[in-house]
Amino acid sequence: MDAFSNFLIAAAGTFIACSIAVPLLLWIARVAGLYAIVQERRAQVYVLFGKVIGTIDEPGLHFLPKKLGLSAFLVNWLGKCHEVDLRLDQTYLRSQPVNSEEGAPMGIGIWYEMFVSDPVSFLFKNTDPSGSLSANVSNSTVRCLSNMPLADMLVNRHVMSDTVRNEVTPKSHEWGYKLGSVYIRKVHFRDAKMIKQIESKVVNRLRQVTSAIKQDGANQVNIITSTAEKTAAIELAKAAAVRPEIVGNALRDISADPDVAQAVFDVLEAQKIIGGQATVTLVPSSGGGLLTELLAAQQPRSESSPPPLKK
C-alpha cells in the first residue's frame, strides 16, 4: 500500500471520528452532567429529589459541577431540568364588564405585557400562573374601575391603567411574573339599545348644531349687508348736502373776476350747444348783412321730409 492510500484512509478515519465520535462524546458529557448550554432569554431550573438545587438564567455554556457541585452528575439521571421561557409576552382581555356610576353597562378592553422574573416561583408556586395572572387582571379591572363616573371612564384611560397595574403587580410577583405596561385600549357600551339611543341623540344634536350654524351665518350676512347699505346711504346723503355749498363757493370765487366768469359762462354755453341736437352754423363777424339773412331764411330740412320732385 502506497503513501497516498494511507493518507486517504487516515483522512476518512478522521472525518468519521469528527462527524460521529465528537458529537457522541459531547452528548455523553452533557448527559453525565458536565456542561449545559442555555439559550437567550431562557432559564434552566434543576430539581433533584424534589428540591431545587440550582437555576441558570445566563445564556451561554456553563460547567455544571461548578454551579451545582457533585449533584450535577446525578441531576440528569435522578432529577429533572425545567426550561423556562423568559421572553416578553402580551395578552389582551376583551370587554371586561363594569358599570359606571350612573349605572351604564360598560365594557373595557385591557392589554398588558409580562415576563417571567422568578423561574422557581413560576414553576412551583402556581400550577397555572398565566391563567391566574389573566384572572387577576380581569378581576382587578372589574373591581377597581366599577362605579366610576362615565365621563372619567371615557377620558382618563391613563389613570385607569395605572390603577389596574398597581393592583395586579404585587400578586404577579408572588407567581414569578413581572408585569410590564398595562393599557386600557377600549371603553364601549355593552347595551345595544343604549348605543342606538346615544347614536340618535348625537345625530339630532348634530342636526341642531348644523342648523344653528347656518342660521348664524345668514344673520351675520344680513347684518353686514344692512350695515353696508346704511353706511352708503349716510355717505350719499352727506355728499348731497355738501354739493350745493361746494358749487356755491366755486361760483362765488369765479364771479369775483368778471373775465373769468364770462369765460366760464361762455364755455358752459358752448358745451350746452354742442351737447344739444340743434344745427349750428358759424358766421364770420365781418360777413353780416345779406349772408346772414339768407341763412336765417333757409328752412332746415328734416331727415324725415321727402326729397324734392324732379321735373
CSV table of all heavy atoms in Angstrom, one decimal, residues 5-60:
chain,number,residue,atom,x,y,z
A,5,SER,N,-2.5,6.0,-0.5
A,5,SER,CA,-3.6,5.3,0.1
A,5,SER,C,-3.7,5.4,1.6
A,5,SER,O,-4.8,5.5,2.2
A,5,SER,CB,-3.4,3.8,-0.3
A,5,SER,OG,-3.4,3.7,-1.7
A,6,ASN,N,-2.5,5.4,2.2
A,6,ASN,CA,-2.5,5.6,3.7
A,6,ASN,C,-3.1,7.0,4.1
A,6,ASN,O,-3.8,7.1,5.1
A,6,ASN,CB,-1.1,5.5,4.2
A,6,ASN,CG,-0.6,4.0,4.1
A,6,ASN,OD1,-1.4,3.1,4.1
A,6,ASN,ND2,0.7,3.9,3.9
A,7,PHE,N,-2.8,8.0,3.2
A,7,PHE,CA,-3.3,9.3,3.5
A,7,PHE,C,-4.8,9.3,3.4
A,7,PHE,O,-5.5,9.9,4.2
A,7,PHE,CB,-2.7,10.3,2.5
A,7,PHE,CG,-3.3,11.7,2.6
A,7,PHE,CD1,-3.0,12.5,3.7
A,7,PHE,CD2,-4.2,12.1,1.7
A,7,PHE,CE1,-3.5,13.8,3.8
A,7,PHE,CE2,-4.8,13.4,1.7
A,7,PHE,CZ,-4.4,14.2,2.8
A,8,LEU,N,-5.4,8.7,2.3
A,8,LEU,CA,-6.8,8.6,2.2
A,8,LEU,C,-7.5,7.9,3.3
A,8,LEU,O,-8.6,8.3,3.8
A,8,LEU,CB,-7.2,8.0,0.9
A,8,LEU,CG,-6.8,8.8,-0.4
A,8,LEU,CD1,-7.2,8.0,-1.6
A,8,LEU,CD2,-7.5,10.1,-0.4
A,9,ILE,N,-6.9,6.8,3.8
A,9,ILE,CA,-7.5,6.1,4.9
A,9,ILE,C,-7.5,6.9,6.2
A,9,ILE,O,-8.5,7.0,6.9
A,9,ILE,CB,-6.8,4.7,5.1
A,9,ILE,CG1,-7.0,3.8,3.9
A,9,ILE,CG2,-7.2,4.0,6.4
A,9,ILE,CD1,-6.2,2.6,3.9
A,10,ALA,N,-6.4,7.6,6.4
A,10,ALA,CA,-6.3,8.4,7.6
A,10,ALA,C,-7.3,9.6,7.5
A,10,ALA,O,-7.9,9.9,8.5
A,10,ALA,CB,-4.9,9.0,7.7
A,11,ALA,N,-7.5,10.2,6.3
A,11,ALA,CA,-8.4,11.3,6.2
A,11,ALA,C,-9.9,10.8,6.4
A,11,ALA,O,-10.7,11.5,7.1
A,11,ALA,CB,-8.3,11.9,4.8
A,12,ALA,N,-10.2,9.6,5.9
A,12,ALA,CA,-11.6,9.1,6.1
A,12,ALA,C,-11.8,8.8,7.6
A,12,ALA,O,-12.9,9.0,8.1
A,12,ALA,CB,-11.7,7.8,5.2
A,13,GLY,N,-10.8,8.2,8.2
A,13,GLY,CA,-10.9,7.9,9.6
A,13,GLY,C,-11.1,9.2,10.5
A,13,GLY,O,-11.9,9.2,11.4
A,14,THR,N,-10.4,10.2,10.1
A,14,THR,CA,-10.5,11.5,10.9
A,14,THR,C,-11.9,12.1,10.7
A,14,THR,O,-12.5,12.6,11.6
A,14,THR,CB,-9.4,12.5,10.4
A,14,THR,OG1,-8.1,11.8,10.6
A,14,THR,CG2,-9.5,13.8,11.2
A,15,PHE,N,-12.4,12.0,9.4
A,15,PHE,CA,-13.7,12.6,9.1
A,15,PHE,C,-14.8,11.9,9.9
A,15,PHE,O,-15.7,12.5,10.5
A,15,PHE,CB,-13.9,12.5,7.6
A,15,PHE,CG,-15.3,12.9,7.2
A,15,PHE,CD1,-15.6,14.3,7.2
A,15,PHE,CD2,-16.3,12.0,6.9
A,15,PHE,CE1,-16.9,14.7,6.8
A,15,PHE,CE2,-17.6,12.4,6.6
A,15,PHE,CZ,-17.9,13.8,6.5
A,16,ILE,N,-14.7,10.5,9.9
A,16,ILE,CA,-15.7,9.8,10.7
A,16,ILE,C,-15.6,10.1,12.1
A,16,ILE,O,-16.7,10.2,12.8
A,16,ILE,CB,-15.5,8.2,10.4
A,16,ILE,CG1,-15.8,8.0,8.9
A,16,ILE,CG2,-16.4,7.4,11.3
A,16,ILE,CD1,-15.5,6.5,8.5
A,17,ALA,N,-14.4,10.2,12.7
A,17,ALA,CA,-14.2,10.5,14.1
A,17,ALA,C,-14.8,11.8,14.4
A,17,ALA,O,-15.5,12.0,15.5
A,17,ALA,CB,-12.8,10.4,14.5
A,18,CYS,N,-14.6,12.8,13.6
A,18,CYS,CA,-15.0,14.2,13.8
A,18,CYS,C,-16.5,14.3,13.7
A,18,CYS,O,-17.2,15.1,14.4
A,18,CYS,CB,-14.3,15.2,12.9
A,18,CYS,SG,-12.6,15.4,13.3
A,19,SER,N,-17.1,13.6,12.8
A,19,SER,CA,-18.6,13.7,12.5
A,19,SER,C,-19.4,12.9,13.4
A,19,SER,O,-20.6,13.2,13.6
A,19,SER,CB,-18.9,13.4,11.0
A,19,SER,OG,-18.5,12.1,10.7
A,20,ILE,N,-18.9,11.8,13.9
A,20,ILE,CA,-19.7,10.9,14.8
A,20,ILE,C,-19.2,10.8,16.2
A,20,ILE,O,-19.9,11.0,17.2
A,20,ILE,CB,-19.7,9.5,14.2
A,20,ILE,CG1,-20.3,9.5,12.8
A,20,ILE,CG2,-20.4,8.5,15.1
A,20,ILE,CD1,-20.3,8.2,12.0
A,21,ALA,N,-17.9,10.7,16.3
A,21,ALA,CA,-17.3,10.4,17.7
A,21,ALA,C,-17.4,11.7,18.5
A,21,ALA,O,-17.8,11.6,19.7
A,21,ALA,CB,-15.9,10.0,17.6
A,22,VAL,N,-17.1,12.9,18.0
A,22,VAL,CA,-17.1,14.1,18.8
A,22,VAL,C,-18.5,14.4,19.3
A,22,VAL,O,-18.7,14.7,20.5
A,22,VAL,CB,-16.5,15.3,18.0
A,22,VAL,CG1,-16.7,16.6,18.7
A,22,VAL,CG2,-15.0,15.0,17.7
A,23,PRO,N,-19.5,14.5,18.4
A,23,PRO,CA,-20.9,14.7,18.9
A,23,PRO,C,-21.3,13.7,19.9
A,23,PRO,O,-22.0,14.0,20.9
A,23,PRO,CB,-21.8,14.7,17.6
A,23,PRO,CG,-20.9,15.0,16.5
A,23,PRO,CD,-19.5,14.4,16.9
A,24,LEU,N,-20.9,12.4,19.7
A,24,LEU,CA,-21.3,11.4,20.7
A,24,LEU,C,-20.7,11.6,22.0
A,24,LEU,O,-21.3,11.5,23.1
A,24,LEU,CB,-20.9,10.0,20.1
A,24,LEU,CG,-21.2,8.8,21.0
A,24,LEU,CD1,-22.7,8.7,21.2
A,24,LEU,CD2,-20.7,7.5,20.4
A,25,LEU,N,-19.4,12.0,22.0
A,25,LEU,CA,-18.7,12.4,23.3
A,25,LEU,C,-19.3,13.6,24.0
A,25,LEU,O,-19.5,13.6,25.2
A,25,LEU,CB,-17.2,12.6,23.0
A,25,LEU,CG,-16.4,11.4,22.6
A,25,LEU,CD1,-15.0,11.8,22.3
A,25,LEU,CD2,-16.4,10.3,23.7
A,26,LEU,N,-19.7,14.6,23.2
A,26,LEU,CA,-20.3,15.8,23.8
A,26,LEU,C,-21.7,15.4,24.4
A,26,LEU,O,-22.1,15.9,25.5
A,26,LEU,CB,-20.5,16.9,22.7
A,26,LEU,CG,-19.2,17.5,22.2
A,26,LEU,CD1,-19.5,18.5,21.1
A,26,LEU,CD2,-18.4,18.2,23.4
A,27,TRP,N,-22.4,14.5,23.7
A,27,TRP,CA,-23.7,14.1,24.2
A,27,TRP,C,-23.6,13.4,25.5
A,27,TRP,O,-24.3,13.6,26.5
A,27,TRP,CB,-24.4,13.2,23.2
A,27,TRP,CG,-25.8,12.7,23.7
A,27,TRP,CD1,-26.9,13.4,23.7
A,27,TRP,CD2,-26.1,11.4,24.2
A,27,TRP,NE1,-27.9,12.6,24.2
A,27,TRP,CE2,-27.4,11.4,24.5
A,27,TRP,CE3,-25.3,10.3,24.4
A,27,TRP,CZ2,-28.0,10.3,25.0
A,27,TRP,CZ3,-25.9,9.1,24.9
A,27,TRP,CH2,-27.3,9.1,25.2
A,28,ILE,N,-22.6,12.5,25.6
A,28,ILE,CA,-22.3,11.7,26.8
A,28,ILE,C,-21.9,12.7,27.9
A,28,ILE,O,-22.4,12.5,29.1
A,28,ILE,CB,-21.2,10.7,26.6
A,28,ILE,CG1,-21.8,9.6,25.6
A,28,ILE,CG2,-20.8,10.0,27.9
A,28,ILE,CD1,-20.7,8.6,25.1
A,29,ALA,N,-21.1,13.7,27.6
A,29,ALA,CA,-20.7,14.6,28.7
A,29,ALA,C,-21.9,15.4,29.2
A,29,ALA,O,-22.0,15.7,30.4
A,29,ALA,CB,-19.6,15.5,28.1
A,30,ARG,N,-22.8,15.8,28.2
A,30,ARG,CA,-24.0,16.6,28.6
A,30,ARG,C,-24.9,15.8,29.5
A,30,ARG,O,-25.4,16.3,30.5
A,30,ARG,CB,-24.7,17.2,27.4
A,30,ARG,CG,-25.8,18.1,27.8
A,30,ARG,CD,-26.3,18.9,26.6
A,30,ARG,NE,-27.0,18.0,25.6
A,30,ARG,CZ,-26.5,17.6,24.4
A,30,ARG,NH1,-25.3,18.1,24.0
A,30,ARG,NH2,-27.1,16.8,23.6
A,31,VAL,N,-25.1,14.5,29.1
A,31,VAL,CA,-26.0,13.7,29.9
A,31,VAL,C,-25.4,13.3,31.2
A,31,VAL,O,-26.1,13.2,32.2
A,31,VAL,CB,-26.3,12.4,29.1
A,31,VAL,CG1,-27.0,11.4,29.9
A,31,VAL,CG2,-27.1,12.7,27.8
A,32,ALA,N,-24.1,13.2,31.2
A,32,ALA,CA,-23.4,13.0,32.5
A,32,ALA,C,-23.4,14.2,33.4
A,32,ALA,O,-23.1,14.0,34.6
A,32,ALA,CB,-22.0,12.5,32.2
A,33,GLY,N,-23.8,15.3,32.9
A,33,GLY,CA,-23.8,16.5,33.8
A,33,GLY,C,-22.6,17.3,33.8
A,33,GLY,O,-22.4,18.1,34.8
A,34,LEU,N,-21.7,17.2,32.8
A,34,LEU,CA,-20.5,18.0,32.8
A,34,LEU,C,-20.8,19.5,32.4
A,34,LEU,O,-20.2,20.4,32.9
A,34,LEU,CB,-19.5,17.4,31.9
A,34,LEU,CG,-18.8,16.1,32.4
A,34,LEU,CD1,-17.9,15.6,31.4
A,34,LEU,CD2,-18.1,16.4,33.8
A,35,TYR,N,-21.7,19.7,31.5
A,35,TYR,CA,-21.9,21.0,31.0
A,35,TYR,C,-23.4,21.2,30.6
A,35,TYR,O,-24.1,20.2,30.4
A,35,TYR,CB,-21.0,21.4,29.8
A,35,TYR,CG,-21.4,20.7,28.5
A,35,TYR,CD1,-22.2,21.4,27.6
A,35,TYR,CD2,-21.0,19.4,28.2
A,35,TYR,CE1,-22.5,20.8,26.4
A,35,TYR,CE2,-21.3,18.9,27.0
A,35,TYR,CZ,-22.1,19.6,26.1
A,35,TYR,OH,-22.4,19.0,24.9
A,36,ALA,N,-23.8,22.4,30.3
A,36,ALA,CA,-25.2,22.7,29.8
A,36,ALA,C,-25.1,24.0,29.0
A,36,ALA,O,-24.3,24.9,29.3
A,36,ALA,CB,-26.2,22.9,31.0
A,37,ILE,N,-25.9,24.1,28.0
A,37,ILE,CA,-26.0,25.2,27.1
A,37,ILE,C,-27.4,25.9,27.4
A,37,ILE,O,-28.4,25.2,27.2
A,37,ILE,CB,-25.8,24.9,25.7
A,37,ILE,CG1,-24.4,24.3,25.5
A,37,ILE,CG2,-26.0,26.1,24.8
A,37,ILE,CD1,-24.2,23.8,24.0
A,38,VAL,N,-27.3,27.2,27.7
A,38,VAL,CA,-28.6,28.0,28.0
A,38,VAL,C,-28.8,29.0,26.8
A,38,VAL,O,-27.9,29.7,26.5
A,38,VAL,CB,-28.5,28.7,29.3
A,38,VAL,CG1,-29.8,29.5,29.5
A,38,VAL,CG2,-28.3,27.7,30.4
A,39,GLN,N,-30.0,28.9,26.2
A,39,GLN,CA,-30.3,29.8,25.1
A,39,GLN,C,-30.6,31.2,25.6
A,39,GLN,O,-30.9,31.4,26.8
A,39,GLN,CB,-31.4,29.3,24.3
A,39,GLN,CG,-31.2,27.9,23.7
A,39,GLN,CD,-30.1,27.8,22.7
A,39,GLN,OE1,-29.9,28.8,22.0
A,39,GLN,NE2,-29.3,26.7,22.6
A,40,GLU,N,-30.7,32.1,24.7
A,40,GLU,CA,-31.0,33.5,25.0
A,40,GLU,C,-32.5,33.6,25.5
A,40,GLU,O,-33.4,33.0,25.0
A,40,GLU,CB,-30.9,34.4,23.8
A,40,GLU,CG,-31.0,35.9,24.0
A,40,GLU,CD,-29.8,36.5,24.7
A,40,GLU,OE1,-28.7,35.9,24.6
A,40,GLU,OE2,-30.0,37.5,25.4
A,41,ARG,N,-32.7,34.4,26.6
A,41,ARG,CA,-34.0,34.5,27.2
A,41,ARG,C,-34.6,33.2,27.6
A,41,ARG,O,-35.8,33.0,27.5
A,41,ARG,CB,-34.9,35.3,26.3
A,41,ARG,CG,-34.5,36.7,26.0
A,41,ARG,CD,-34.3,37.6,27.2
A,41,ARG,NE,-35.5,37.8,27.9
A,41,ARG,CZ,-35.6,38.3,29.1
A,41,ARG,NH1,-34.5,38.7,29.8
A,41,ARG,NH2,-36.8,38.5,29.7
A,42,ARG,N,-33.8,32.3,28.1
A,42,ARG,CA,-34.2,31.0,28.7
A,42,ARG,C,-33.6,30.8,30.0
A,42,ARG,O,-32.5,31.4,30.3
A,42,ARG,CB,-33.9,29.8,27.8
A,42,ARG,CG,-34.5,29.9,26.4
A,42,ARG,CD,-36.0,29.5,26.5
A,42,ARG,NE,-36.6,29.2,25.2
A,42,ARG,CZ,-36.9,30.1,24.3
A,42,ARG,NH1,-36.7,31.4,24.5
A,42,ARG,NH2,-37.4,29.7,23.1
A,43,ALA,N,-34.2,30.0,30.9
A,43,ALA,CA,-33.6,29.7,32.2
A,43,ALA,C,-33.8,28.2,32.4
A,43,ALA,O,-34.8,27.6,32.0
A,43,ALA,CB,-34.3,30.5,33.3
A,44,GLN,N,-32.8,27.6,33.1
A,44,GLN,CA,-32.9,26.1,33.4
A,44,GLN,C,-32.9,26.0,34.9
A,44,GLN,O,-32.0,26.5,35.6
A,44,GLN,CB,-31.7,25.4,32.8
A,44,GLN,CG,-31.8,25.4,31.2
A,44,GLN,CD,-30.7,24.6,30.6
A,44,GLN,OE1,-29.7,24.1,31.3
A,44,GLN,NE2,-30.7,24.4,29.3
A,45,VAL,N,-33.9,25.3,35.4
A,45,VAL,CA,-34.1,25.0,36.8
A,45,VAL,C,-33.9,23.5,37.1
A,45,VAL,O,-34.6,22.7,36.5
A,45,VAL,CB,-35.5,25.5,37.3
A,45,VAL,CG1,-35.6,25.2,38.8
A,45,VAL,CG2,-35.7,26.9,37.0
A,46,TYR,N,-32.9,23.2,37.9
A,46,TYR,CA,-32.5,21.8,38.2
A,46,TYR,C,-33.1,21.4,39.5
A,46,TYR,O,-33.0,22.1,40.5
A,46,TYR,CB,-31.0,21.7,38.2
A,46,TYR,CG,-30.4,21.9,36.9
A,46,TYR,CD1,-29.9,23.2,36.5
A,46,TYR,CD2,-30.2,20.9,36.0
A,46,TYR,CE1,-29.3,23.4,35.2
A,46,TYR,CE2,-29.6,21.1,34.7
A,46,TYR,CZ,-29.2,22.3,34.4
A,46,TYR,OH,-28.6,22.5,33.1
A,47,VAL,N,-33.8,20.3,39.4
A,47,VAL,CA,-34.5,19.7,40.6
A,47,VAL,C,-34.0,18.3,40.9
A,47,VAL,O,-34.0,17.5,39.9
A,47,VAL,CB,-36.1,19.7,40.4
A,47,VAL,CG1,-36.8,19.2,41.6
A,47,VAL,CG2,-36.6,21.1,40.1
A,48,LEU,N,-33.6,18.1,42.1
A,48,LEU,CA,-33.1,16.7,42.5
A,48,LEU,C,-33.8,16.3,43.8
A,48,LEU,O,-33.7,17.1,44.8
A,48,LEU,CB,-31.6,16.8,42.7
A,48,LEU,CG,-30.9,15.4,43.0
A,48,LEU,CD1,-31.2,14.4,41.9
A,48,LEU,CD2,-29.4,15.6,43.3
A,49,PHE,N,-34.5,15.2,43.8
A,49,PHE,CA,-35.2,14.6,44.9
A,49,PHE,C,-36.2,15.6,45.5
A,49,PHE,O,-36.3,15.8,46.7
A,49,PHE,CB,-34.2,14.2,46.0
A,49,PHE,CG,-33.2,13.2,45.6
A,49,PHE,CD1,-31.8,13.4,45.8
A,49,PHE,CD2,-33.6,12.1,44.9
A,49,PHE,CE1,-30.9,12.5,45.4
A,49,PHE,CE2,-32.6,11.2,44.4
A,49,PHE,CZ,-31.3,11.4,44.7
A,50,GLY,N,-36.9,16.3,44.6
A,50,GLY,CA,-37.9,17.3,45.0
A,50,GLY,C,-37.4,18.6,45.5
A,50,GLY,O,-38.2,19.4,46.1
A,51,LYS,N,-36.1,18.9,45.3
A,51,LYS,CA,-35.6,20.1,45.8
A,51,LYS,C,-34.8,20.8,44.7
A,51,LYS,O,-34.1,20.2,43.9
A,51,LYS,CB,-34.6,19.8,47.0
A,51,LYS,CG,-34.0,21.1,47.6
A,51,LYS,CD,-33.0,20.7,48.7
A,51,LYS,CE,-32.4,21.9,49.3
A,51,LYS,NZ,-31.4,21.6,50.4
A,52,VAL,N,-35.0,22.1,44.6
A,52,VAL,CA,-34.3,22.9,43.6
A,52,VAL,C,-32.8,23.1,44.0
A,52,VAL,O,-32.6,23.7,45.1
A,52,VAL,CB,-35.0,24.3,43.4
A,52,VAL,CG1,-34.2,25.1,42.4
A,52,VAL,CG2,-36.4,24.2,43.0
A,53,ILE,N,-31.9,22.6,43.2
A,53,ILE,CA,-30.5,22.7,43.6
A,53,ILE,C,-29.8,23.7,42.8
A,53,ILE,O,-28.6,24.0,43.1
A,53,ILE,CB,-29.8,21.3,43.3
A,53,ILE,CG1,-30.0,20.9,41.8
A,53,ILE,CG2,-30.4,20.2,44.2
A,53,ILE,CD1,-29.2,19.6,41.5
A,54,GLY,N,-30.4,24.3,41.8
A,54,GLY,CA,-29.7,25.4,41.1
A,54,GLY,C,-30.6,25.9,39.9
A,54,GLY,O,-31.4,25.3,39.4
A,55,THR,N,-30.3,27.2,39.6
A,55,THR,CA,-31.0,27.9,38.5
A,55,THR,C,-30.0,28.6,37.6
A,55,THR,O,-29.1,29.3,38.2
A,55,THR,CB,-32.1,28.9,39.0
A,55,THR,OG1,-33.0,28.2,39.8
A,55,THR,CG2,-32.8,29.5,37.8
A,56,ILE,N,-30.0,28.4,36.3
A,56,ILE,CA,-29.1,29.1,35.4
A,56,ILE,C,-30.0,29.9,34.4
A,56,ILE,O,-30.7,29.3,33.7
A,56,ILE,CB,-28.2,28.1,34.7
A,56,ILE,CG1,-27.4,27.3,35.6
A,56,ILE,CG2,-27.3,28.9,33.7
A,56,ILE,CD1,-26.6,26.2,35.0
A,57,ASP,N,-29.8,31.3,34.5
A,57,ASP,CA,-30.6,32.1,33.6
A,57,ASP,C,-29.7,33.0,32.7
A,57,ASP,O,-30.2,33.8,32.0
A,57,ASP,CB,-31.6,33.0,34.4
A,57,ASP,CG,-30.9,33.8,35.4
A,57,ASP,OD1,-29.6,33.7,35.5
A,57,ASP,OD2,-31.6,34.5,36.2
A,58,GLU,N,-28.4,32.7,32.7
A,58,GLU,CA,-27.5,33.5,31.9
A,58,GLU,C,-27.2,32.7,30.6
A,58,GLU,O,-26.9,31.5,30.7
A,58,GLU,CB,-26.1,33.7,32.6
A,58,GLU,CG,-26.2,34.7,33.8
A,58,GLU,CD,-26.6,36.1,33.3
A,58,GLU,OE1,-26.2,36.4,32.2
A,58,GLU,OE2,-27.2,36.8,34.1
A,59,PRO,N,-27.4,33.3,29.4
A,59,PRO,CA,-27.1,32.5,28.2
A,59,PRO,C,-25.7,32.2,28.0
A,59,PRO,O,-24.8,32.9,28.4
A,59,PRO,CB,-27.6,33.5,27.1
A,59,PRO,CG,-27.5,34.8,27.7
A,59,PRO,CD,-27.8,34.7,29.2
A,60,GLY,N,-25.4,30.9,27.4
A,60,GLY,CA,-24.1,30.5,27.1
A,60,GLY,C,-23.8,29.1,27.6
A,60,GLY,O,-24.7,28.4,28.0
